[in-house]
Amino acid sequence: MVDVAHDVCPAATADKRPVTFRGGLFLPRTHRLVGFAALVALILLWQAASSFGWMSPVLAPSPGEVIDALRRMALSGELATHLSASLVRLAGGFAIGGTAGIAFGMAIGLSSLVRSPGATLVAALFPIPKIALLPLFILWFGIGESSKVATIAFGTFFPMVIATYGAVDNVDRSLVRMGRSFGLSSFAIISKIILPGALPGILSGMRIASSIGIVLLIAAEMIGANEGVGALVLAAGNLMQSDRLLAGVVVLSLLGLTVAGVIGAVEKRLLAWR
Amino acid sequence: MQLIADHIAHAYGPLPVLDDISFTVGPGEVVAIVGPSGCGKSTLLRILGGLEKPQAGAALVAGAPPAASLNPLTFVFQDFALLPWRTVEGNVRLVLEGHGLLQAVVADTVRDVLARTGLTDFAKAYPKQLSGGMRQRVGIARALAARPAVLLMDEPLSALDAQTRELLMDDLVQLVSAEGSAEALGMVYVTHNLDEAVRLADRILVLSRRPGRVRETVTIAGDRRARRSDDPELVRRARELWDLIRADAAEADRELADGEAING
Amino acid sequence: MAAFVVVGLAGSVLSAAAQEKVTVGVLRFVSSGGLFLAVEKGYFKDEGLDVELKFFEAAQPIALAVVSGDTEFGVTAFTAGFYNLAGKGALKVIAAQAREKKGYEGNLVLASNAAYEKGLTSLDKLSGKSVGITQVGSSFHYQMGQIAAANGFALKSVELKPLQSLPNMVASIKSGQVDAIIIAPHLAKPLVASGEAKLIGRVSDVTEYQFGGLFTSTKMITEKRATVEKFVRAYQKGAADYAKAFLAKDASGNIAYAPDSDATAALVAKHVYPSEESAQAAAKVKGAAFFVDEKARLDVADILTQVQWLKDEGLVDASVDAKSILDLSFIDGHINAN
Ligand SMILES: Nc1ncnc2c1ncn2[C@@H]1O[C@H](COP(=O)(O)OP(=O)(O)OP(=O)(O)O)[C@@H](O)[C@H]1O
Ligand SMILES: [Mg+2]
């Protein structure tokens, strides 16, 4: 029998060494469980700090107290009232701001006429803190529901415009040329090539815009609101009820996770081709 | 139907690209266009397909397109230009939508062109699941679904490996040789690959370096189905073509490098 | 000349060094006038205290600053938030600030012109109307509760609109977005004078009310009791000056200003309207002078009532013990202390 090793490495066998590995590509893997464990560990540490008196109860309530506040609010139906009031505002505001943002973003992405003025206006108006405009919104829309919905609509509009026209710009122009060359109508090109091509960008824009919408809930519910998670958090802050305050914050955070989850599921469905 | 290039000339700003190009493609004919890089081949093809307006001259058509043609002048692209979110079937279907065709007719057409391009088993696959050769087959199937009079192909095989290229070339030969009637498919075939040109074309237009002018029209006689890539006669013709182009190509190459150096 | 300045500086540095430095958190309100007078007239200096005033924009942060030790004392109105924080044991109320008292300046109830025309002309008609307040659990909220109780309707029948800030309240009553507001007199009077809103009642007609107080941290009381005692003594002298200048009444029950009232008002105005011309500002001070007890005594029973009401409304936690919030040992003879 021929010695295999000898066969493979016929020469200079004395000086064999492995080549240096150079394949590390900074591709961190995600472990859901590890992330969850980090969160649990933090909460346990916090609970311990409260229970063993390392942290004064004046500074912050313990997680147990926060959960208890949450439980009481859930049982009394208070939570449902606040949550549904906020969800209606969030859904309404995001529907208006998102739809208008996608439409305007498409217009900027497709039409030279709209592009320069539109993109400039958006760049100028996007950084304005919407809270600064709250007094104006109250003048324009009153202190009822419309000013709250308007705040969220206004806040979600701009990120959606920017995400949409960025996404449209990124659609491969050779696909558009292909569509033209087959005589597709402009409407067909927009609806069958540009819109689906821009969809990944639009959806990731939605992630950001929906988070901004949740952030703006507090601002929107600052004026004249008795119901809503934002109003709950504000009132708890005013009353120095830090357990209820943090309970409200937990609800906002869960709301954010849920919305992100929903968008993620939609992404998975619509972007299966990736 | 005939496609006619009638004294076409074009320039991008101060840069003349094409100068007085004239030729005709009829049913069942294949005209290959070769020439050094940057001489305006792609521009010419875009003008012929109506994607761009020439500065002088015109792209004309004469005679009736094939019955039920949806798009008499149809492109096949070098980069395939497939919609990644549609399946193979969906990509073909795209060019059949919006014409008011019956669902059954659409389904028949899709099935037919997929069968002709050997894609029947891949109907439900997404482009990214396919090899390059398979993707270009989809491009060709999509083009055929539109029942074109003339196929406009811009280096359709250049993104593929040599073996795949060979196989697809056989298919293209079959495609343009199918019928001899007035409804037969014509083709304008832009390529850098002279072997492909001699294998497929009836006439080969050799363009000069920019601005592209027709330096010579080379005719290749005989049934293309009988040609083989290692036929010594064809090898000799390809060699001749290369001799024609070589000086120009070298010159164009240097020019491009200079241009880049200046622009850079 | 230069030498004189240097000597002057050195002198002040020396005397300051001998004094104990304390800071007080306070809002720029006339109702804290006693504190400002004690500073201006040097009563704190006399006690050996170098008092620095730290001005805040809202009441809540003052309480938090005292808890965190950023300021030693605080003077503001009581809110549900204050009671919740104090109920955790870190704060003690030791003296009074202003009080809502019949016959003196106090918060006013305004109706929007539109609501007034539709018949909102008195406090008993507030049921079913919308009323703007600053925040949930604020003094305005509590006072609205007292108005409701006194007029025999449920607070729930009033639609309370938290508007977060005084400017928002003013804007909302002007534009008729709320039917009524309860607001401090210095803001209410211009609105009524210009016809932008209608006066429909005074809170003091309905209830007397301990508005706010002087408080410090529990730690200060245990660790630096002497300092707190000195502070309270000086604070009381300021309160007495305030009462003498702005609250004295003649036989017919009208406010009778003393000859030096204007000068006293000007001292208060320095802190309340720092950027305004002094004569005009002094007049504004006199027109907005809430009742302040001359000895800074707290109305203890009223505070207990307040806390109980706020507990009943769910605005103060049931665990808060009102008595433990108060430290009555620094002043003799607090009112209704039994
Ligand atoms: N849209 C355009 N605007 C300006 N110049 C262009 C444009 N398209 C092409 N050109 C220029 O015109 C010349 C011809 O381009 P074209 O793409 O037609 O050449 P080509 O023969 O297809 O080259 P290749 O063999 O490299 O594909 C080139 O110099 C190119 O830089
Ligand atoms: Mg080209």
Side-chain angles (χ1 to χ4, degrees):
Chain A
M1 268 304 288
V2 178
D3 181 0
V4 174
H6 189 262
D7 203 17
V8 172
C9 310
T13 42
D15 196 23
K16 273 196 291 192
R17 56 189 183 280
V19 295
T20 320
F21 176 71
R22 291 173 289 188
L25 297 178
F26 300 108
L27 293 172
R29 284 167 300 168
T30 30
H31 288 292
R32 254 166 213 267
L33 272 179
V34 176
F36 188 67
L39 199 64
V40 170
L42 183 73
I43 292 173
L44 285 179
L45 188 72
W46 173 15
Q47 179 69 54
S50 305
S51 306
F52 298 124
W54 306 334
M55 193 167 67
S56 149
V58 181
L59 296 182
S62 71
E65 286 168 306
V66 173
I67 291 168
D68 194 48
L70 210 50
R71 193 183 53 82
R72 272 181 283 130
M73 281 192 276
L75 288 180
S76 69
E78 200 188 348
L79 187 62
T81 318
H82 289 310
L83 204 52
S84 59
S86 286
L87 281 176
V88 167
R89 289 168 192 147
L90 200 59
F94 191 42
I96 295 170
T99 316
I102 292 175
F104 193 56
M106 289 294 285
I108 291 182
L110 296 176
S111 147
S112 332
L113 204 69
V114 183
R115 188 175 188 94
S116 304
T120 311
L121 281 181
V122 167
L125 296 180
F126 184 33
I128 294 178
K130 309 307 170 273
I131 299 184
L133 295 182
L134 213 55
L136 285 182
F137 284 163
I138 292 169
L139 283 181
W140 300 338
F141 303 110
I143 58 173
E145 284 306 299
S146 22
S147 69
K148 299 174 180 75
V149 172
T151 306
I152 293 173
F154 201 67
T156 52
F157 173 75
F158 292 103
M160 277 320 290
V161 172
I162 289 173
T164 304
Y165 91 70
V168 170
D169 283 357
N170 273 335
V171 173
D172 192 348
R173 291 298 122 155
S174 72
L175 294 181
V176 176
R177 185 179 306 135
M178 180 275 293
R180 284 265 178 251
S181 82
F182 277 99
L184 266 61
S185 67
S186 292
F187 178 76
I189 289 179
I190 291 171
S191 65
K192 292 176 185 170
I193 298 178
I194 293 180
L195 208 52
L199 195 61
I202 291 176
L203 282 173
S204 69
M206 276 188 180
R207 274 178 190 276
I208 297 170
S210 64
S211 308
I212 291 178
I214 292 173
V215 169
L216 284 177
L217 259 186
I218 303 257
E221 291 175 353
M222 255 170 87
I223 304 299
N226 290 306
E227 286 161 6
V229 185
L232 163 74
V233 169
L234 273 172
N238 291 336
L239 297 173
M240 281 312 301
Q241 292 171 326
S242 21
D243 52 345
R244 283 166 60 88
L245 187 148
L246 287 177
V249 170
V250 167
V251 171
L252 283 176
S253 148
L254 290 177
L255 189 60
L257 282 176
T258 312
V259 172
V262 168
I263 292 175
V266 170
E267 251 172 8
K268 224 173 198 158
R269 255 198 93 103
L270 292 183
L271 305 183
W273 53 271
R274 294 211 292 190
Chain B
M1 195 184 90
Q2 286 185 317
L3 172 62
I4 302 155
D6 181 20
H7 300 287
I8 290 175
H10 194 62
Y12 288 114
L15 185 78
V17 175
L18 290 170
D19 187 17
D20 195 29
I21 309 269
S22 294
F23 67 92
T24 301
V25 196
E29 283 183 339
V30 176
V31 172
I33 299 176
V34 300
S37 208
C39 73
K41 303 183 293 295
S42 297
T43 307
L44 176 60
L45 207 62
R46 284 202 296 274
I47 290 172
L48 289 174
L51 293 182
E52 205 152 341
K53 277 188 191 142
Q55 279 186 344
L60 307 169
V61 289
S69 174
L70 301 176
N71 193 44
L73 303 175
T74 295
F75 281 87
V76 171
F77 298 91
Q78 181 179 5
D79 62 356
F80 322 136
L82 302 178
L83 302 181
W85 54 86
R86 285 190 177 220
T87 59
V88 166
E89 197 178 55
N91 267 285
V92 174
R93 204 177 276 272
L94 175 78
V95 302
L96 300 170
E97 290 165 359
H99 291 284
L101 298 178
L102 289 175
Q103 275 308 311
V105 174
V106 170
D108 280 351
T109 308
V110 171
R111 203 175 316 117
D112 174 48
V113 297
L114 291 185
R116 278 162 71 191
T117 46
L119 287 168
T120 307
D121 293 343
F122 299 94
K124 304 283 184 226
Y126 284 95
K128 77 161 197 180
Q129 299 169 306
L130 301 177
S131 67
M134 282 296 178
R135 287 184 209 177
Q136 192 56 296
R137 283 175 199 275
V138 181
I140 294 168
R142 177 177 62 188
L144 293 178
R147 292 182 184 277
V150 179
L151 272 183
L152 305 171
M153 305 184 110
D154 192 355
E155 307 188 34
L157 306 185
S158 67
L160 307 176
D161 66 86
Q163 289 164 14
T164 311
R165 212 151 47 202
E166 194 63 36
L167 291 172
L168 261 176
M169 179 49 70
D170 290 342
D171 293 347
L172 287 181
V173 167
Q174 292 306 318
L175 209 64
V176 280
S177 314
E179 315 114 277
S181 72
E183 301 231 322
L185 194 57
M187 189 185 283
V188 180
Y189 190 93
V190 169
T191 183
H192 275 121
N193 186 318
L194 303 177
D195 296 330
E196 283 174 16
V198 295
R199 191 65 207 289
L200 196 60
D202 300 302
R203 270 167 292 136
I204 301 171
L205 259 54
V206 182
L207 299 193
S208 66
R209 78 189 153 87
R210 198 182 58 219
R213 213 174 274 128
V214 181
R215 275 183 58 155
E216 199 139 348
T217 305
V218 175
T219 308
I220 311 278
D223 186 353
R224 64 179 70 85
R225 275 173 292 192
R227 300 177 197 168
R228 291 183 44 87
S229 51
D230 53 359
D231 180 344
E233 172 63 9
L234 287 183
V235 172
R236 195 181 57 77
R237 300 300 296 271
R239 189 79 220 164
E240 271 175 24
L241 280 172
W242 174 237
D243 289 340
L244 269 175
I245 297 172
R246 168 179 260 152
D248 264 356
E251 193 66 27
D253 193 41
R254 218 168 331 186
E255 227 168 54
L256 284 180
D258 285 354
E260 264 159 35
I262 291 163
N263 292 334
Chain C
M1 177 75 192
F4 179 78
V5 172
V6 171
V7 170
L9 262 177
S12 74
V13 167
L14 265 181
S15 68
Q19 293 198 315
E20 186 181 357
K21 213 171 148 59
V22 295
T23 54
V24 193
V26 64
L27 300 174
R28 294 189 188 274
F29 281 157
V30 177
S31 43
S32 298
L35 174 71
F36 301 141
L37 290 176
V39 172
E40 289 294 328
K41 296 196 165 184
Y43 299 148
F44 287 116
K45 278 224 170 74
D46 296 347
E47 294 283 352
L49 296 177
D50 175 21
V51 167
E52 184 197 344
L53 298 176
K54 263 207 176 134
F55 291 102
F56 285 70
E57 295 297 325
Q60 200 98 306
I62 298 182
L64 292 169
V66 172
V67 170
S68 67
D70 289 317
T71 69
E72 278 83 15
F73 298 91
V75 178
T76 63
F78 298 137
T79 63
F82 177 86
Y83 289 129
N84 278 324
L85 192 62
K88 297 203 170 102
L91 290 179
K92 298 274 188 223
V93 177
I94 53 180
Q97 187 217 28
R99 199 188 304 162
E100 195 72 74
K101 194 171 167 73
K102 204 170 168 68
Y104 295 90
E105 283 301 337
N107 283 350
L108 304 177
V109 185
L110 302 186
S112 73
N113 286 335
Y116 190 87
E117 263 155 40
K118 286 198 192 123
L120 179 55
T121 52
S122 59
L123 299 183
D124 56 317
K125 302 202 173 93
L126 278 170
S127 174
K129 297 293 189 296
S130 65
V131 177
I133 58 175
T134 47
Q135 293 171 346
V136 174
S138 63
S139 317
F140 302 126
H141 189 170
Y142 176 74
Q143 291 183 327
M144 190 57 229
Q146 300 302 299
I147 291 171
N151 288 284
F153 58 86
L155 183 56
K156 282 214 159 46
S157 70
V158 176
E159 201 187 334
L160 290 177
K161 296 273 188 193
L163 301 172
Q164 306 307 329
S165 75
L166 295 170
N168 284 349
M169 301 224 311
V170 171
S172 302
I173 196 74
K174 276 190 196 173
S175 58
Q177 282 168 359
V178 292
D179 297 325
I181 55 172
I182 304 176
I183 196 159
H186 72 281
L187 293 170
K189 285 174 179 173
L191 285 174
V192 175
S194 64
E196 287 170 304
K198 299 278 188 301
L199 177 65
I200 60 169
R202 295 165 187 281
V203 175
S204 60
D205 291 346
V206 172
T207 174
E208 299 208 341
Y209 166 58
Q210 181 66 57
F211 224 105
L214 165 68
F215 52 92
T216 187
S217 64
T218 312
K219 205 169 142 216
M220 271 296 282
I221 293 176
T222 47
E223 291 175 8
K224 293 188 176 169
R225 186 168 179 95
T227 307
V228 178
E229 279 169 353
K230 287 185 214 164
F231 190 96
V232 171
R233 269 199 302 274
Y235 180 81
Q236 281 183 295
K237 283 188 200 156
D241 284 0
Y242 178 103
K244 208 166 77 200
F246 307 132
L247 306 176
K249 291 210 167 175
D250 61 19
S252 55
N254 293 320
I255 302 277
Y257 290 111
D260 65 346
S261 286
D262 284 327
T264 310
L267 292 180
V268 175
K270 263 173 76 177
H271 296 285
V272 181
Y273 306 107
S275 57
E276 286 182 37
E277 189 259 317
S278 80
Q280 205 185 340
K284 274 174 145 176
V285 166
K286 280 160 68 181
F290 277 52
F291 181 84
V292 168
D293 183 74
E294 56 184 350
K295 289 182 180 152
R297 290 167 301 189
L298 288 161
D299 184 342
V300 177
D302 181 58
I303 291 177
L304 301 187
T305 311
Q306 286 181 39
V307 173
Q308 191 52 50
W309 185 87
L310 291 168
K311 279 186 185 175
D312 293 345
E313 287 289 312
L315 298 168
V316 164
D317 296 343
S319 61
V320 172
D321 172 20
K323 284 206 173 107
S324 75
I325 294 172
L326 307 173
D327 188 333
L328 304 178
S329 65
F330 293 93
I331 293 175
D332 284 337
H334 282 291
I335 302 156
N336 301 326
N338 303 309

